[in-house]
Amino acid sequence: MESLKPERKPELFEKIDRKAPALMGALASAPVFKKHGQVHARRAVVGESIITTLESGIKETENTAQEGDWIITNPDGEEYIISENKFNSRYEPTNEDGLYEAKGSCRAIVNPFGKPIEIMASWGSPQTGGSDCMIADTCDDDGSNMNGEPYIIDADAFAKTYQ
């Protein structure tokens, strides 16, 4: 029997160069946001693959753990992999085992393209975001020393983790 459910069309993502001069310029003059909140974290197993799925159920990206990487689990259940250097600069331990306090800052802009986008993330896999996603780059608390590795943050996740 044929399915009576309508076919869901895949969301079309415009491929964007995350390091395009206009985008990097917009980030350089963007407001600075401070990260806050707590996450659970654990050392990754080399070769472990994590699919980052947003609270809405949409796949954002996929990454495979390398030596020294960490797996972060946000309060909403979203998981992602970060390097040890990034982990140490963005999180500090609390008194509870496996629970870490977020720290650090980023410059961020609302997706200026007005449609869903896809970038090639610094870890070598595509990362997608909706028309309202944020594009961010880490920096010092005063906005200096941007990392030069822009990434996408879901709008809802950004609102929950940055002020």
Side-chain angles (χ1 to χ4, degrees):
M1 175 180 236
E2 236 179 88
S3 173
L4 298 176
K5 290 182 182 177
E7 280 189 43
R8 183 174 176 209
K9 290 185 177 181
E11 197 164 8
L12 298 176
F13 295 97
E14 182 172 330
K15 292 183 184 201
I16 302 300
D17 175 3
R18 68 188 174 91
K19 292 190 175 186
L23 194 55
M24 294 303 288
L27 283 168
S29 61
V32 176
F33 297 89
K34 179 102 173 108
K35 193 162 189 166
H36 65 90
Q38 296 181 329
V39 300
H40 284 91
R42 64 175 175 81
R43 287 232 179 239
V45 175
V46 174
E48 180 177 5
S49 181
I50 296 292
I51 296 173
T52 301
T53 305
L54 303 176
E55 198 172 5
S56 64
I58 295 173
K59 176 182 171 181
E60 183 180 52
T61 192
E62 186 170 350
N63 196 356
T64 302
Q66 306 296 317
E67 184 70 36
D69 284 351
W70 285 77
I71 307 294
I72 304 296
T73 304
N74 284 338
D76 63 5
E78 175 188 21
E79 289 187 312
Y80 55 93
I81 297 174
I82 65 172
S83 69
E84 186 164 28
N85 284 344
K86 286 181 184 176
F87 178 77
N88 290 332
S89 69
R90 295 182 188 174
Y91 300 95
E92 54 191 25
T94 66
N95 292 332
E96 184 179 329
D97 191 37
L99 188 66
Y100 294 80
E101 186 72 36
K103 63 180 183 176
S105 298
C106 75
R107 288 188 179 268
I109 58 172
V110 175
N111 175 354
F113 303 100
K115 56 182 128 187
I117 60 171
E118 177 182 299
I119 63 171
M120 186 55 67
S122 62
W123 52 89
S125 294
Q127 185 183 28
T128 60
S131 57
D132 64 344
C133 72
M134 301 296 288
I135 302 171
D137 194 3
T138 58
C139 62
D140 290 344
D141 289 344
D142 66 0
S144 63
N145 297 316
M146 287 177 46
N147 188 36
E149 297 292 342
Y151 56 97
I152 293 173
I153 306 175
D154 176 71
D156 290 337
F158 186 86
K160 291 176 184 175
T161 57
Y162 287 90
Q163 356 175 287

